[in-house]
Amino acid sequence: MTTRSIGFLASISFAACGIGACSNGFAPGAVPAQSQTATGSLSIRVRVPARAHSARRKSANYISKATAGIAIAIAGPTRVNKVASLLPSGTGCTAGSAGTTCTLTIPSLKPCATAANCYTASIATYDAVSGCPVACSVAGAKELSANQNLPFRIAKGRSNAIRITLDGVPVALAVVPAAGSSLSGSVGSGFALSKCGSDGVSVFGVDADGNDILGAGAPVPSLVSDDTSKLSVSTPPPSNPNLFTIVRPSPPPNAHTTVHLTAGATPLAGASPAPAVTTAPIPMTFNGDICGVITEFSRLDSPNFITSGPDGNIWYTIYNPANVAKMTTSGTLVQEYPVSTITGLASIISGPNNELWFVGIGVGFGTPGIGSVTTSGTVAVYPLPSSNPTPIPAGIATGPDGNLWFVECNAKNIVQMKPDGTILNTFPTGSGAQPFRIKAGPDGRLWFTEGSQLGAITTGGVISQYTPAGVTGATEITVGPDGALWFSDTSNGEIGRIDTTGSTTTEYPIPTASSFPTAIVAGPDGALWFIEEGAKKIGRITTSGMVTNEYPVSGAKANDLVNMTLGPDGALWFVETASLKIGRLQ
């Protein structure tokens, strides 16, 4: 945030005196006998703060530090138009460490004939003055503050002290996030902000010399949202009239949603006819923070695995009956699409041809195979040839070659398949361990888990095996935001990380005992998120290995939380298989 100069509003002392050296010899409200030749004087005391002050603060005793001149117009029995310098070199001005103090005297004012005010004064300050002391002028200068048509009177033989405040004249606005705010950015480019909680934002009018206008007489600030369902603005407290609080709803808005705020400042009446100023709508874009808000949606059938579709919807498989279902990110079920021939539907991904691809493991219910469904619901199936042992396809991924790659858990193979269903190659892992899940890595290889091992295969079929010390139950795997592979070590209750060389592996324990971690995905916030099937929680781990959050899914049953995906709305979506629910974590 750029450091700004500060403009404080003038609080000027008027002393309107009659003959008798401002004597106080008359009772309040009394009007002495008037002499047609008697005159009084008007004394104005102004203090301009030194420019060394830089912190934003409110005061009723200072004017803008850019103030250089003052224009005074008096109407009444005596008419006066006066321009004076408020610079240290000006007549009646004295410079000090705190600023410059000026006392201006306007003599020869005729007294008022009655107790009523008979004079009005209009005062304005400017950022430049020239021609002093002979013929001071503010021609071409910028107006900083003003008070128009201020009534006062001159009474013979008494002193009338009038304290006035000049109202600031804004020409621009400053929008300043409060200390500790999640906001980052600027008025011109827009701000990024967290999806969670609330933030303080101050709005200040800015004068013609770039100084914030604060204190009594400051313009009235405003801050308006164009979508209060996603971002509302609270009224500032009287103790801090510039500080607004912007509040998110619950559940929070979708990640990367943009709302616009418009800031404004309306001058007080004394600055009339200065117009109100407003900003162009300021884009406020929510980041990918997960706030811990869980919403559950009941389903008719038991969901098994879940993914985001290319159409912006959520797709999931149903183990039995063999169906693939589509639902919106608002939780509305669109339709379930029956799948024939292959059974026991499990892993599902968004893959080639903008279609959803899934595996049917076939165990206990018939034929294993691979299937696809278009976003409009057209299903195709590709049964796998019979073999001994039964192949049991488990994980599936899209390779960098544009083909489908899936693991045959029971047969211990990695299979390459064209999007038309043609099997191109079957590569035995050769390790003796059963492959489980597979994911395209950032190094051009596909990585897969094998319990106590991890493997990687090139699109040419070259397999490398890695046996990290201590790993016993590697199951799910994903690519982290740091470019490494992250996996769940289910039996150890740990989350593991392996670099793409396979030479460095680190495991991080989950604080909750018997957590039994399974699914793991890269989140929208730069961290990894994982399911704790045993603890019925969803956890978060940073790329430095710190588990920062564990959110309980209060209604989950035993072995309920099976799979999870990052949704197109920036939320985490998960299945509760036994509870017949789809969950959303925002």
Side-chain angles (χ1 to χ4, degrees):
M1 181 60 64
T2 303
T3 301
R4 294 180 154 277
S5 299
I6 310 305
F8 295 100
L9 279 298
S11 181
I12 300 179
S13 294
F14 255 24
C17 307
I19 286 178
C22 296
S23 167
N24 289 321
F26 297 92
V31 179
Q34 300 293 319
S35 166
Q36 296 300 316
T37 59
T39 61
S41 63
L42 178 65
S43 293
I44 301 174
R45 187 172 183 269
V46 184
R47 186 179 182 193
V48 180
R51 289 182 178 266
H53 299 299
S54 60
R56 277 190 175 94
R57 57 192 177 93
K58 295 194 293 183
S59 171
N61 299 317
Y62 298 95
I63 61 176
S64 171
K65 293 184 291 186
T67 301
I70 187 170
I72 304 167
I74 297 174
T78 305
R79 300 183 68 85
V80 176
N81 285 286
K82 180 180 179 64
V83 175
S85 171
L86 298 180
L87 296 172
S89 59
T91 302
C93 296
T94 302
S97 60
T100 299
T101 301
C102 300
T103 302
L104 311 176
T105 302
I106 301 175
S108 305
L109 297 178
K110 293 178 183 180
C112 296
T114 68
N117 296 319
C118 66
Y119 283 95
T120 58
S122 293
I123 303 170
T125 62
Y126 294 85
D127 67 349
V129 67
S130 61
C132 296
V134 178
C136 293
S137 171
V138 289
K142 300 170 185 173
E143 186 179 19
L144 301 175
S145 57
N147 198 318
Q148 308 292 326
N149 302 316
L150 174 76
F152 70 97
R153 67 175 176 149
I154 298 290
K156 187 176 71 171
R158 65 177 297 174
S159 173
N160 297 304
I162 305 171
R163 194 172 182 84
I164 69 168
T165 297
L166 297 186
D167 297 337
V169 177
V171 297
L173 290 157
V175 178
V176 184
S181 168
S182 73
L183 274 68
S184 62
S186 66
V187 172
S189 62
F191 290 93
L193 71 163
S194 173
K195 288 167 51 183
C196 316
S198 60
D199 287 290
V201 178
S202 291
V203 176
F204 303 99
V206 178
D207 69 22
D209 278 71
N211 302 304
D212 294 345
I213 307 171
L214 302 175
V220 178
S222 62
L223 191 64
V224 179
S225 170
D226 70 349
D227 190 344
T228 56
S229 68
K230 295 184 176 67
L231 190 65
S232 60
V233 181
S234 67
T235 303
S239 59
N240 197 343
N242 296 92
L243 180 62
F244 296 84
T245 302
I246 53 176
V247 183
R248 292 68 151 173
S250 182
N254 291 347
H256 315 305
T257 300
T258 297
V259 177
H260 295 87
L261 296 180
T262 300
T266 302
L268 299 182
S272 177
V277 292
T278 59
T279 63
I282 305 167
M284 311 291 289
T285 303
F286 297 107
N287 65 13
D289 286 349
I290 298 294
C291 310
V293 179
I294 293 177
T295 308
E296 294 171 300
F297 305 95
S298 296
R299 300 279 77 108
L300 296 176
D301 294 307
S302 177
N304 197 14
F305 281 72
I306 192 167
T307 195
S308 294
D311 56 350
N313 289 308
I314 302 295
W315 290 75
Y316 59 93
T317 56
I318 298 167
Y319 187 82
N320 183 40
N323 289 343
V324 178
K326 174 170 65 172
M327 65 181 286
T328 68
T329 54
S330 63
T332 301
L333 177 65
V334 178
Q335 192 170 343
E336 290 187 9
Y337 303 100
V339 177
S340 62
T341 309
I342 65 173
T343 56
L345 304 190
S347 295
I348 184 171
I349 63 167
S350 181
N353 304 327
N354 284 325
E355 296 178 355
L356 288 303
W357 292 80
F358 51 90
V359 302
I361 64 176
V363 175
F365 293 99
T367 305
I370 305 298
S372 67
V373 59
T374 66
T375 55
S376 60
T378 301
V379 176
V381 295
Y382 307 99
L384 294 178
S386 298
S387 65
N388 187 16
T390 303
I392 307 184
I396 186 170
T398 303
D401 57 353
N403 291 311
L404 280 304
W405 290 74
F406 60 91
V407 301
E408 291 182 332
C409 178
N410 217 28
K412 303 174 186 175
N413 292 326
I414 308 295
V415 181
Q416 180 189 32
M417 186 182 86
K418 293 174 65 175
D420 64 5
T422 303
I423 301 295
L424 292 176
N425 291 289
T426 299
F427 302 103
T429 61
S431 67
Q434 291 182 321
F436 191 61
R437 299 282 183 254
I438 189 168
K439 188 79 172 182
D443 58 347
R445 298 187 293 176
L446 293 106
W447 286 73
F448 52 94
T449 56
E450 300 176 280
S452 61
Q453 298 179 173
L454 292 103
I457 184 171
T458 68
T459 54
V462 177
I463 293 177
S464 301
Q465 296 283 356
Y466 306 100
T467 309
V471 175
T472 61
T475 52
E476 306 285 347
I477 189 167
T478 194
V479 178
D482 58 351
L485 283 303
W486 289 75
F487 59 92
S488 54
D489 188 341
T490 303
S491 56
N492 279 341
E494 295 178 326
I495 300 299
R497 178 189 184 277
I498 186 169
D499 65 14
T500 53
T501 67
S503 61
T504 303
T505 303
T506 308
E507 289 206 290
Y508 304 98
I510 297 168
T512 301
S514 303
S515 58
F516 203 69
T518 53
I520 183 168
V521 298
D525 56 348
L528 285 302
W529 291 78
F530 54 92
I531 279 178
E532 300 177 40
E533 186 175 337
K536 305 173 189 176
K537 295 180 180 180
I538 296 176
R540 177 184 187 270
I541 186 170
T542 67
T543 54
S544 61
M546 181 178 295
V547 177
T548 60
N549 302 89
E550 292 179 276
Y551 295 108
V553 183
S554 57
K557 298 179 180 179
N559 304 316
D560 210 4
L561 306 181
V562 175
N563 193 239
M564 181 167 59
T565 191
L566 175 62
D569 55 350
L572 296 167
W573 290 80
F574 56 94
V575 298
E576 298 177 61
T577 298
S579 298
L580 278 65
K581 293 178 181 178
I582 299 289
R584 179 183 67 195
L585 174 59
Q586 292 174 286

